[in-house]
Amino acid sequence: MSESKKIKSSEITDERTYLNRRNFIRTGVLAGAAVATGVGYRLFNPPPPKEVVTAEIDDVIRSKPTSLKDELTSFEDITNYNNYYEFTTSKTGVASAAENFVTKPWTVSVDGLVNKPKVFGIEELLKIEQEERIYRFRCVEGWSMVIPWVGFPIKKLLDKVEPQGKAKYVAFQTFYDGSNPKGKGVNLPKGDNGMQSSLSAGIEFPYLEGLRLDEALHPLAILATGIYGKLMPNQNGAPIRLVVPWKYGFKSIKSIVRITLTDKQPITTWSRSAPSEYGFYSNVNPKVDHPRWSQATERRIGEFGRRDTLMFNGYGEEVANLYKGMDLSKFY
Ligand SMILES: Nc1nc2c(c(=O)[nH]1)N[C@H]1C(S)=C(S)[C@@H](COP(=O)(O)O)O[C@H]1N2
Ligand SMILES: [Mo]
């Protein structure tokens, strides 16, 4: 039995709002109701997913052995305890639900306030020098992992398109083929990839995220193409996803198809869904509690007991200067 399966549902909080949960129950969507009750959570868990088979990435520049002392979370836990609402809201069910997700061919459009907008094929992005980055990963729900990502600083991609002086923000968008992207609550049939409707997931799709341009240009912010030296498994956001280690996990948007430079703060999925619970910044902060639970401690997957949550997830020395003079309880 993997460590992740030992986690009791009563120990995990859920990113969705109470309001959303009630909607699920009222509309009789089983998956939603299952998560809401806690008991049902286990009841509706699908059988354990098959092991992920994915290709090795060649020529990864290994991170320095000293980069992080924490023990790595196992490949099994990283690939079988996921949040990817387009597929399912059951964390242990994402791996099997995303099994048939087709991520080849794949393109990422980089556009907006740039001098050289371009549609990049994934092959081209995989030719950018790939580095291993071992980062702590902290979900807003109160669990954490240590993940050996493979990827490259977003800056390397943004440099290619030459952001204009007016560009202040970067908006990211996830692939979506599950239902009508325009209509919240429009429950159209599933696409071929096995994604579900916004209605059953409880958040609007396509999933949107954003960063301030200076955050995106920070050397710790990466576009990840793999984990443990292998190409990104579907459930972790194949073929390319964002990783911003000092922010809560929901900022790390998966399966990116579009990156747009803008002069206005972009709409982001979770803050649109529950503005009082999720802000644009979402920096890990043990002193600013979520309205429904404390953020002071966290449960490291694979460990027993809880650890203290670190300011900026332990990356304060590198990133605190990005937020100088900002009241972080206001800009949460
Ligand atoms: N497109 C998309 N990206 C997403 C999510 C999602 O549901 N859809 N979930 C987010 C949340 S809440 C977390 S904690 C991380 C989980 O990443 P992991 O499954 O690789 O650990 O992905 C983030 N990115
Ligand atoms: Mo999360």
Side-chain angles (χ1 to χ4, degrees), residues 278-323:
Y278 309 101
F280 176 77
Y281 283 93
S282 307
N283 294 313
V284 175
N285 190 338
K287 293 200 198 86
V288 177
D289 287 338
H290 186 279
R292 290 181 284 129
W293 58 83
S294 163
Q295 293 293 25
T297 65
E298 66 197 51
R299 182 174 178 79
R300 180 68 53 83
I301 302 300
E303 287 181 2
F304 297 97
R306 297 182 74 87
R307 332 174 138 231
D308 288 341
T309 290
L310 306 172
M311 186 63 204
F312 295 117
N313 206 21
Y315 300 99
E317 219 172 284
E318 289 94 335
V319 304
N321 63 333
L322 291 169
Y323 311 103

XYZ file of all heavy atoms in Angstrom, residues 278-323:
385
model
N -9.246 32.512 -2.472
C -8.028 32.415 -3.273
C -7.769 33.725 -3.990
O -8.625 34.215 -4.716
C -8.154 31.283 -4.303
C -8.581 29.986 -3.676
C -9.896 29.552 -3.763
C -7.665 29.223 -2.944
C -10.293 28.374 -3.150
C -8.048 28.053 -2.332
C -9.374 27.635 -2.440
O -9.752 26.486 -1.823
N -6.573 34.259 -3.790
C -6.220 35.498 -4.457
C -5.345 35.233 -5.664
O -5.108 34.086 -6.045
N -4.843 36.307 -6.246
C -3.974 36.188 -7.416
C -2.572 35.731 -7.003
O -1.952 34.931 -7.680
C -3.893 37.543 -8.129
C -2.945 37.544 -9.292
C -3.313 36.967 -10.509
C -1.679 38.113 -9.186
C -2.435 36.961 -11.590
C -0.791 38.114 -10.265
C -1.180 37.532 -11.464
N -2.086 36.220 -5.865
C -0.685 35.951 -5.508
C -0.484 34.538 -4.975
O 0.379 33.815 -5.441
C -0.181 37.023 -4.526
C 0.113 38.298 -5.274
C -0.850 39.300 -5.391
C 1.321 38.459 -5.931
C -0.597 40.450 -6.131
C 1.583 39.609 -6.671
C 0.625 40.597 -6.764
O 0.876 41.706 -7.509
N -1.260 34.172 -3.952
C -1.210 32.797 -3.441
C 0.181 32.325 -3.080
O 0.570 31.189 -3.376
C -1.835 31.832 -4.462
O -3.113 32.277 -4.816
N 0.947 33.217 -2.469
C 2.249 32.805 -1.955
C 2.048 31.952 -0.707
O 1.187 32.259 0.117
C 3.083 34.044 -1.598
C 3.446 34.853 -2.826
O 3.897 34.295 -3.830
N 3.246 36.158 -2.753
N 2.840 30.906 -0.571
C 2.739 30.070 0.629
C 3.061 30.938 1.840
O 4.094 31.618 1.872
C 3.704 28.863 0.547
C 3.679 28.059 1.847
C 3.347 27.975 -0.649
N 2.137 30.951 2.804
C 2.302 31.834 3.954
C 1.643 31.218 5.187
O 0.413 31.160 5.271
C 1.675 33.211 3.635
C 2.002 34.255 4.678
O 2.337 33.924 5.822
N 1.903 35.509 4.297
N 2.476 30.741 6.150
C 1.905 30.076 7.331
C 1.081 31.012 8.207
O 0.289 30.553 9.032
C 3.154 29.585 8.090
C 4.278 30.431 7.603
C 3.943 30.807 6.175
N 1.238 32.326 8.001
C 0.539 33.288 8.863
C -0.799 33.735 8.290
O -1.589 34.367 8.977
C 1.424 34.522 9.102
C 2.661 34.219 9.923
C 3.214 35.491 10.544
C 4.657 35.300 10.982
N 5.621 35.549 9.870
N -1.037 33.462 7.035
C -2.328 33.839 6.444
C -3.136 32.565 6.214
O -2.855 31.785 5.313
C -2.132 34.616 5.116
C -3.475 34.927 4.475
C -1.359 35.904 5.367
N -4.103 32.353 7.094
C -4.900 31.124 7.009
C -5.901 31.184 5.866
O -6.362 32.256 5.480
C -5.657 30.890 8.320
C -4.722 30.433 9.432
O -3.633 29.898 9.098
O -5.071 30.601 10.608
N -6.209 30.033 5.345
C -7.347 29.909 4.441
C -8.586 30.105 5.301
O -8.589 29.710 6.463
C -7.326 28.506 3.810
C -8.373 28.314 2.763
N -9.675 28.016 3.094
C -8.325 28.395 1.414
C -10.380 27.933 1.970
N -9.585 28.146 0.946
N -9.649 30.739 4.776
C -10.829 30.988 5.617
C -11.395 29.722 6.269
O -12.037 29.794 7.309
C -11.847 31.600 4.662
C -11.089 32.040 3.463
C -9.790 31.309 3.429
N -11.122 28.549 5.661
C -11.705 27.320 6.212
C -10.709 26.413 6.906
O -11.074 25.365 7.414
C -12.456 26.558 5.110
C -13.725 27.271 4.659
C -14.484 26.499 3.592
N -13.856 26.597 2.283
C -13.570 25.561 1.515
N -13.830 24.349 1.919
N -12.996 25.737 0.333
N -9.413 26.737 6.879
C -8.435 25.928 7.595
C -7.136 26.702 7.818
O -6.873 27.691 7.143
C -8.145 24.597 6.888
C -7.629 24.707 5.478
C -6.324 24.922 5.105
C -8.385 24.626 4.259
N -6.225 24.972 3.725
C -7.476 24.784 3.186
C -9.738 24.431 3.969
C -7.868 24.759 1.854
C -10.126 24.406 2.621
C -9.206 24.568 1.594
N -6.344 26.237 8.775
C -5.067 26.887 9.078
C -4.031 26.526 8.021
O -4.057 25.430 7.468
C -4.585 26.416 10.452
O -3.206 26.702 10.594
N -3.133 27.437 7.756
C -2.013 27.125 6.857
C -0.703 27.011 7.634
O 0.376 26.954 7.039
C -1.868 28.203 5.767
C -3.016 28.262 4.767
C -3.124 27.039 3.849
O -2.673 25.943 4.178
N -3.741 27.229 2.696
N -0.772 26.953 8.963
C 0.446 26.964 9.775
C 1.274 25.687 9.606
O 2.499 25.722 9.693
C 0.086 27.164 11.241
N 0.591 24.575 9.374
C 1.312 23.309 9.231
C 0.842 22.577 7.981
O -0.139 22.957 7.355
C 1.088 22.387 10.459
O -0.302 22.024 10.499
C 1.524 23.040 11.751
N 1.573 21.520 7.666
C 1.237 20.745 6.466
C 1.593 19.284 6.675
O 2.383 18.947 7.564
C 1.995 21.282 5.247
C 3.508 21.093 5.353
C 4.300 21.963 4.377
O 4.039 23.191 4.348
O 5.164 21.411 3.674
N 1.019 18.436 5.858
C 1.328 17.012 5.918
C 2.169 16.635 4.705
O 1.707 16.746 3.569
C 0.027 16.207 5.921
C 0.254 14.737 6.026
C -1.072 14.023 6.179
N -0.855 12.592 6.234
C -0.445 11.932 7.315
N -0.231 12.592 8.450
N -0.245 10.640 7.270
N 3.404 16.274 4.948
C 4.274 15.833 3.858
C 3.868 14.420 3.469
O 3.872 13.517 4.313
C 5.736 15.876 4.346
C 6.802 15.451 3.346
C 6.983 16.384 2.179
N 7.211 17.797 2.432
C 8.388 18.359 2.717
N 9.477 17.617 2.810
N 8.495 19.657 2.897
N 3.466 14.247 2.210
C 3.024 12.926 1.760
C 4.157 11.914 1.959
O 5.300 12.169 1.571
C 2.599 12.980 0.265
C 1.477 13.993 0.044
C 2.195 11.593 -0.239
C 0.198 13.759 0.809
N 3.826 10.794 2.581
C 4.829 9.790 2.876
C 5.374 9.883 4.299
O 6.132 9.019 4.725
N 4.983 10.935 5.018
C 5.413 11.087 6.407
C 4.216 11.033 7.342
O 3.080 11.265 6.928
C 6.094 12.456 6.618
C 7.468 12.571 6.018
C 8.110 13.933 6.280
O 7.498 14.796 6.972
O 9.211 14.143 5.779
N 4.494 10.778 8.597
C 3.438 10.846 9.603
C 3.587 12.149 10.371
O 4.664 12.708 10.434
C 3.500 9.639 10.528
C 3.255 8.372 9.772
C 4.316 7.592 9.317
C 1.961 7.977 9.458
C 4.090 6.436 8.584
C 1.730 6.830 8.723
C 2.799 6.052 8.292
N 2.511 12.608 10.941
C 2.567 13.874 11.655
C 2.601 15.041 10.693
O 2.501 14.848 9.486
N 2.738 16.227 11.247
C 2.721 17.418 10.397
C 3.996 18.215 10.587
O 4.649 18.119 11.616
C 1.499 18.276 10.728
C 0.181 17.568 10.434
C -1.018 18.449 10.721
N -1.225 19.497 9.727
C -1.917 19.325 8.605
N -2.447 18.157 8.312
N -2.091 20.325 7.755
N 4.371 18.987 9.596
C 5.516 19.887 9.698
C 5.020 21.326 9.649
O 3.948 21.595 9.121
C 6.481 19.774 8.516
C 6.588 18.510 7.798
C 7.514 18.758 6.604
N 8.422 17.629 6.476
C 9.730 17.733 6.368
N 10.298 18.929 6.310
N 10.479 16.669 6.279
N 5.879 22.214 10.130
C 5.563 23.631 10.025
C 5.642 24.052 8.562
O 6.554 23.634 7.842
C 6.561 24.468 10.836
C 6.341 24.308 12.331
O 5.237 23.857 12.724
O 7.272 24.620 13.099
N 4.716 24.871 8.165
C 4.777 25.437 6.814
C 5.757 26.591 6.821
O 5.812 27.372 7.771
C 3.361 25.876 6.374
O 2.582 24.703 6.153
C 3.396 26.716 5.110
N 6.562 26.691 5.781
C 7.584 27.725 5.695
C 7.090 28.910 4.867
O 6.392 28.732 3.870
C 8.855 27.159 5.039
C 9.434 25.891 5.676
C 10.560 25.322 4.813
C 9.932 26.183 7.091
N 7.474 30.119 5.302
C 7.142 31.325 4.532
C 7.708 31.189 3.119
O 8.854 30.758 2.957
C 7.737 32.546 5.237
C 7.339 33.868 4.599
S 5.552 34.121 4.706
C 5.267 35.236 3.355
N 6.909 31.526 2.133
C 7.285 31.341 0.724
C 7.767 29.908 0.467
O 8.624 29.668 -0.377
C 8.357 32.349 0.287
C 7.908 33.787 0.291
C 8.514 34.716 1.140
C 6.880 34.219 -0.537
C 8.109 36.049 1.146
C 6.465 35.554 -0.542
C 7.086 36.467 0.300
N 7.221 28.959 1.229
C 7.556 27.541 1.082
C 9.060 27.293 1.232
O 9.597 26.334 0.670
C 7.055 27.026 -0.284
C 6.780 25.540 -0.280
O 6.578 24.924 0.774
N 6.794 24.939 -1.457
N 9.734 28.196 1.969
C 11.172 28.024 2.188
C 12.037 28.744 1.161
O 13.265 28.655 1.225
N 11.421 29.486 0.245
C 12.192 30.168 -0.804
C 12.248 31.685 -0.598
O 12.472 32.442 -1.548
C 11.623 29.816 -2.188
C 11.676 28.328 -2.456
C 10.551 27.521 -2.282
C 12.870 27.715 -2.823
C 10.604 26.151 -2.486
C 12.945 26.344 -3.027
C 11.805 25.567 -2.852
O 11.871 24.209 -3.046
N 12.029 32.113 0.656
C 11.979 33.545 0.958
C 13.246 34.296 0.602
O 13.195 35.426 0.098
N 14.382 33.665 0.851
C 15.650 34.326 0.556
C 15.727 34.722 -0.925
O 16.255 35.762 -1.279
C 16.796 33.356 0.873
C 18.001 34.001 1.504
C 18.986 32.941 1.956
O 18.717 32.298 3.002
O 19.976 32.741 1.245
N 15.176 33.861 -1.753
C 15.228 34.123 -3.195
C 14.119 35.064 -3.673
O 14.340 35.849 -4.580
C 15.101 32.805 -3.977
C 16.322 31.895 -3.888
C 16.195 30.859 -2.764
O 15.453 31.129 -1.790
O 16.850 29.810 -2.864
N 12.909 34.961 -3.081
C 11.772 35.648 -3.710
C 11.143 36.787 -2.903
O 10.342 37.557 -3.453
C 10.646 34.648 -4.115
C 11.194 33.563 -5.026
C 9.971 34.040 -2.878
N 11.492 36.919 -1.616
C 10.796 37.907 -0.771
C 10.873 39.317 -1.363
O 9.922 40.096 -1.252
C 11.367 37.889 0.639
N 11.976 39.627 -2.035
C 12.131 40.987 -2.573
C 11.113 41.331 -3.671
O 10.895 42.499 -3.974
C 13.561 41.213 -3.066
C 13.917 40.281 -4.211
O 13.367 39.178 -4.324
N 14.809 40.712 -5.085
N 10.472 40.290 -4.233
C 9.432 40.556 -5.246
C 8.218 41.235 -4.612
O 7.393 41.812 -5.326
C 8.959 39.244 -5.896
C 9.908 38.482 -6.817
C 9.346 37.099 -7.138
C 10.145 39.262 -8.110
N 8.087 41.105 -3.290
C 6.859 41.563 -2.615
C 7.154 42.644 -1.590
O 6.361 42.872 -0.682
C 6.149 40.356 -1.980
C 6.017 39.235 -2.987
C 6.865 38.131 -2.947
C 5.092 39.320 -4.024
C 6.784 37.125 -3.900
C 5.010 38.331 -4.987
C 5.851 37.229 -4.924
O 5.779 36.255 -5.878
